[in-house]
Amino acid sequence: MPGDETAHDDRTSALGRVVVVIPTYDEAANIAWIVGRLRRARPEVDVLVVDDHSPDGTGEIADGLAVEDAQVHVLHRAGKGGLGAAYLAGFSWALAAGYDVIGEMDADGSHQPEQLGRLLDALRDADLVIGSRWVPGGSVVNWPRRREALSRGGNLYVRLLLGIDVRDATAGFRVFRRQALEKIDLASVRSTGYVFQTDLVTRCLRHGLTVREVPIEFIERVRGESKMSGQVAVESLRRITQWGVRERVEQLRGRRHGAAAAPGDVAARR
């Protein structure tokens, strides 16, 4: 209904300027489709495509979209440097351009632009909002049981190891307030792969920021090839293990010397 769209626009305008960063590598079959859906669902929101020199021509397609729509922007990178590196480049661009809210989502349609409003509404009293598969009301579509078990188990492992109360710390459908990204010091982030998502949510909690999760329906891609594999997942868990053990040792050392509990001991607020 037109009235509903106006209400959405009013709520978003209260947050300031919003941009959603979409990293791409070989997403020629999806990029125009997903950008079109996002622009129709949230016409007040800008889009930044960050392309890692896709050999299938994704970057050129994105350039064409930008020519046709002034709210679509494209950032070209020299080569495939990892998901985290692409997001860091996009976040830096968005902060320099003066955006107040910076979002992130996949290019393959697994994150539904029509559900972005849920995240933006929740950001009114949060610093970071995560579109979560594993909170009540969240779901996945077309996933084999093995992959669901891997994701659920991986997130449980993250919660136990890092001591954070986030059900879907590996999720990639998010919105940040610019102040949150500025506070966690993006220049010091070294994560480049899928562990990047866990890194950023943990940094937010360590700095005492408010993290909320809202339920989404995650749909497995129907076009193109997934960049996630068992090997990638295992490598991410290995990196999280190394990182988590180091964090715990540092916390124990601090407490042994009478230091206050680390900000990470504060549970995420939903």
Side-chain angles (χ1 to χ4, degrees), residues 99-222:
Y99 286 96
D100 303 291
V101 173
I102 296 98
E104 57 173 88
M105 65 182 294
D106 291 347
D108 60 9
S110 56
H111 301 141
Q112 300 180 65
E114 296 79 10
Q115 296 183 345
L116 177 61
R118 302 181 185 182
L119 281 66
L120 292 172
D121 286 347
L123 194 64
R124 287 178 291 174
D125 57 0
D127 300 294
L128 162 61
V129 176
I130 300 171
S132 176
R133 299 161 290 188
W134 310 130
V135 295
S139 63
V140 296
V141 177
N142 296 330
W143 262 19
R145 290 184 178 180
R146 179 177 177 277
R147 185 169 177 186
E148 179 173 342
L150 181 63
S151 180
R152 286 183 180 273
N155 274 287
L156 174 61
Y157 182 70
V158 166
R159 292 201 302 277
L160 294 175
L161 181 65
L162 300 182
I164 62 174
D165 185 22
V166 176
R167 308 291 296 184
D168 201 352
T170 60
F173 195 13
R174 305 179 172 194
V175 289
F176 296 84
R177 289 186 180 271
R178 71 171 291 121
Q179 293 87 351
L181 292 178
E182 290 170 338
K183 193 168 186 177
I184 63 177
D185 186 18
L186 291 176
S188 69
V189 175
R190 296 292 178 264
S191 306
T192 58
Y194 285 86
V195 71
F196 171 82
Q197 306 291 10
T198 302
D199 189 350
L200 259 61
V201 69
T202 304
R203 284 171 179 261
C204 285
L205 293 171
R206 295 287 190 264
H207 283 82
L209 300 175
T210 300
V211 177
R212 292 189 61 193
E213 297 183 84
V214 297
I216 62 162
E217 180 186 60
F218 180 99
I219 301 177
E220 175 65 354
R221 71 158 64 227
V222 296

Side-chain angles (χ1 to χ4, degrees), residues 17-21 38-39 42-48 69-73 93 99 116:
R17 296 175 63 216
V18 181
V19 65
V20 172
V21 179
L38 177 54
R39 293 289 294 119
R42 308 298 305 194
E44 76 282 11
V45 171
D46 290 357
V47 181
L48 173 65
D69 186 343
Q71 287 181 248
V72 177
H73 310 275
W93 180 96
Y99 286 96
L116 177 61

